[in-house]
Amino acid sequence: MFRLKLFLLLAFAAVSTVCGKPLPEVTDAAKEAMGTTPGRMVLTGFVFVDGKYLPPPYTVSRIGNGIFVNRVQVEQPVPWTHFYPPKAGEKNDDDDFEEVDDNGGKADNAKPANGDFEEVPETPAAPAAPQKNAAAKVDDLDDLFADDDPPPANKPAAKPDAAPAAPPARDIADEIERLKAALDKARATYENRLAKNDIYFFSTSHSRINGNYGTARSMLEVLPEALYAATSAEDLFARLRRANIYFLDERAVRVIFKNKQSYPMLKERRQRIRQQEALEAAKRKREREAARGNY
């Protein structure tokens, strides 16, 4: 049951992310209840947060119910208010106050503003169910599946349906522990994938995007110049499409374009990668030559 609830919450979080709603801050209560899982430093990989490139090294950590990269929150799939909703008059995650009436209860927004009662159309009475013919002692199904023996004269009265069972009490502490385990697993996944030179795009405006090193390397060959020359997000999107960069959708390109100032850092990262690749190529060449000299 919790897995289903968590899946629905994650799906809702994905929809909220696409809507561009900023992540709420991790509350002190969440930090105290869930603690912190620190990460190790990773020197490889590529991370973009809300379209802005973050250069390595990276440290992926979990603080309370949020996941952070270099102290920048990138994910909070389940807000703390899911476990402890704000009371009347308290601030919610959007820094808004709940509307409270004069008596301290929640305001009823469905009530007409003029103080009159809503007009409710009269519901016509349902027609009475037709009476069954008293002479019919056996219904159709009984007749169809009847045995050779005649039916008993008096059938026992049907037992009344049992009352529905009450829903189980909610174990909030258990839900929090399960969420903690899920977040720690996600945190470890991001850390391990970055160690393998993967690329991640986190944002409050689009769903998470990730790819391998080949994807990142192909993008890095064209993105700095395309970002510098583009005059609009649509122009940048078209330039990337012409360069066969298809894994970035329009929402992701839009937030990347808002961070045009990232292009010098991208060029610098590409230059370091090219230098590293040249060193590795020279090393492999020397090893091949040495191997041939041994024969």
Side-chain angles (χ1 to χ4, degrees):
M1 177 62 69
F2 176 80
R3 290 182 179 179
L4 176 59
K5 288 182 179 179
L6 183 59
F7 173 78
L8 294 175
L9 285 168
L10 293 176
F12 174 76
V15 173
S16 298
T17 296
V18 171
C19 295
K21 186 177 181 179
L23 295 174
E25 292 185 6
V26 176
T27 64
D28 292 337
K31 295 176 185 177
E32 181 178 356
M34 302 182 67
T36 300
T37 301
R40 59 186 175 88
M41 184 180 295
V42 178
L43 301 177
T44 55
F46 308 82
V47 175
F48 288 74
V49 180
D50 284 330
K52 183 179 181 180
Y53 169 67
L54 296 182
Y58 302 117
T59 301
V60 186
S61 59
R62 180 191 59 77
I63 302 175
N65 59 326
I67 296 179
F68 291 72
V69 176
N70 292 0
R71 298 185 180 182
V72 178
Q73 186 176 197
V74 297
E75 283 189 346
Q76 189 184 135
V78 182
W80 192 246
T81 52
H82 168 70
F83 305 109
Y84 299 101
K87 298 179 181 178
E90 289 183 347
K91 278 189 174 184
N92 58 25
D93 289 335
D94 299 326
D95 293 331
D96 294 331
F97 288 94
E98 283 192 281
E99 294 184 9
V100 181
D101 60 18
D102 296 336
N103 297 323
K106 290 185 180 179
D108 185 3
N109 295 328
K111 199 172 184 180
N114 59 5
D116 298 331
F117 291 100
E118 289 185 282
E119 294 184 4
V120 181
E122 294 185 2
T123 304
Q131 294 289 334
K132 210 170 182 182
N133 187 359
K137 301 196 176 177
V138 182
D139 59 18
D140 295 336
L141 288 177
D142 289 334
D143 290 339
L144 183 61
F145 297 103
D147 297 327
D148 294 336
D149 297 333
N154 296 320
K155 290 185 178 180
K159 294 183 179 180
D161 294 337
R170 184 180 179 191
D171 190 343
I172 295 180
D174 182 65
E175 290 185 19
I176 292 175
E177 284 301 316
R178 291 176 181 270
L179 174 62
K180 178 180 176 181
L183 291 177
D184 282 339
K185 182 178 180 180
R187 186 213 66 80
T189 298
Y190 298 152
E191 181 178 86
N192 294 333
R193 299 310 303 178
L194 288 174
K196 295 181 180 180
N197 249 331
D198 275 17
I199 184 171
Y200 278 97
F201 292 82
F202 300 97
S203 180
T204 58
S205 299
H206 61 77
S207 300
R208 185 185 67 244
I209 301 173
N210 70 285
N212 57 24
Y213 178 72
T215 301
R217 189 68 181 87
S218 299
M219 183 203 70
L220 206 58
E221 280 299 313
V222 299
L223 181 58
E225 287 74 20
L227 191 57
Y228 174 77
T231 57
S232 65
E234 292 74 19
D235 183 23
L236 177 60
F237 185 76
R239 290 173 183 269
L240 294 176
R241 283 293 190 268
R242 289 195 295 268
N244 298 322
I245 305 298
Y246 294 102
F247 72 97
L248 294 175
D249 59 20
E250 294 184 24
R251 292 191 183 98
V253 171
R254 191 174 298 117
V255 294
I256 292 173
F257 178 76
K258 292 180 180 179
N259 293 272
K260 285 175 65 73
Q261 67 274 13
S262 294
Y263 83 89
M265 290 188 292
L266 293 170
K267 290 182 67 175
E268 181 182 351
R269 179 72 185 278
R270 183 180 63 188
Q271 182 62 26
R272 292 201 305 270
I273 291 175
R274 287 175 175 175
Q275 292 173 354
Q276 184 65 29
E277 290 174 346
L279 291 174
E280 292 176 356
K283 180 181 178 180
R284 290 194 297 269
K285 182 179 179 180
R286 290 194 300 268
E287 291 174 349
R288 289 194 300 269
E289 292 174 350
R292 285 196 296 266
N294 293 330
Y295 287 104

